[in-house]
Amino acid sequence: MLLPGKTIERLSEYRRTLLECLNEKKNFIFSHDLAARLHITAVQVRRDLMLIGYSSVQRKGYDIKELIGTISNIIDSDVTMNVSIIGMGNFGRAVAGYFKGKRSKLNLVASFDTDPQKINKVISGVKCYPHTEMEKTIRELDIRIAIITVPSDFAKEMAEEAVRFGIKGILNFTTIPLNVPSWVFLRNTI
């Protein structure tokens, strides 16, 4: 099933919101309630869910557990992908600590930094490699996704290098919006 990129992004947001609803002990949710939590329209929610072939139970809304499962089957890859963090300052360490072990299909295998105090150490559960070994390490460890947490002055350069070294997806946690080739998935988060 080929879905528009924006729909896939919204499906991911739906799943995150639905997981919060489960924590609140909810079993069903209406499209207008889900839409309100995400600041979008109920029509958009219904369109997206119709695209994946999911409909609500009349007068009850959507079964939250079932919908989470349906969305997960669509957006989660069967392939495990290796991930790296570029920049192991405070934010990079926080992301690594949060990220490690959260998703079975995303495997955090490396981080990169220029600080000699961090290089060749395990920080927040992941080995930190020197920035100068980025190309070699990305290729050897088959890293597909980079999370960029460097100071904004270096973000553009790091993204360009990552793409040149074979990265196919970038999660940008810097304050500078990045531009990458169309074949690279980019999410500017701040």
Side-chain angles (χ1 to χ4, degrees), residues 25-172:
K25 308 289 188 232
K26 293 180 184 237
N27 294 318
F28 291 88
I29 190 168
F30 290 102
S31 59
H32 63 271
D33 294 328
L34 184 55
R37 287 175 178 248
L38 294 166
H39 308 291
I40 60 176
T41 67
V43 171
Q44 185 66 64
V45 171
R46 289 191 296 271
R47 275 189 199 142
D48 289 339
L49 298 183
M50 281 192 309
L51 276 175
I52 64 171
Y54 195 84
S55 59
S56 65
V57 175
Q58 219 172 15
R59 298 185 191 254
K60 280 188 156 182
Y62 299 106
D63 181 306
I64 292 174
K65 284 183 185 175
E66 197 176 279
L67 183 51
I68 290 169
T70 300
I71 291 171
S72 294
N73 287 338
I74 290 168
I75 65 174
D76 286 343
S77 171
D78 291 334
V79 177
T80 299
M81 285 193 265
N82 289 339
V83 179
S84 67
I85 295 175
I86 302 174
M88 283 304 279
N90 291 335
F91 194 68
R93 287 193 305 274
V95 169
Y98 173 79
F99 190 87
K100 196 77 172 145
K102 293 282 186 190
R103 299 276 308 273
S104 61
K105 302 292 182 188
L106 298 176
N107 188 22
L108 182 58
V109 296
S111 65
F112 301 97
D113 207 286
T114 57
D115 184 347
Q117 300 289 345
K118 297 173 186 166
I119 292 170
N120 294 320
K121 293 191 172 124
V122 174
I123 302 170
S124 299
V126 64
K127 183 175 179 184
C128 186
Y129 293 88
H131 162 260
T132 55
E133 292 182 15
M134 212 161 87
E135 180 175 16
K136 174 184 162 214
T137 307
I138 286 171
R139 293 186 202 285
E140 283 179 0
L141 297 179
D142 190 29
I143 298 170
R144 303 284 176 94
I145 300 170
I147 301 171
I148 298 181
T149 61
V150 297
S152 296
D153 295 350
F154 304 101
K156 186 174 184 261
E157 177 187 345
M158 291 300 101
E160 288 171 356
E161 283 186 19
V163 169
R164 193 169 61 248
F165 300 152
I167 291 295
K168 304 288 186 232
I170 294 176
L171 195 54
N172 176 23

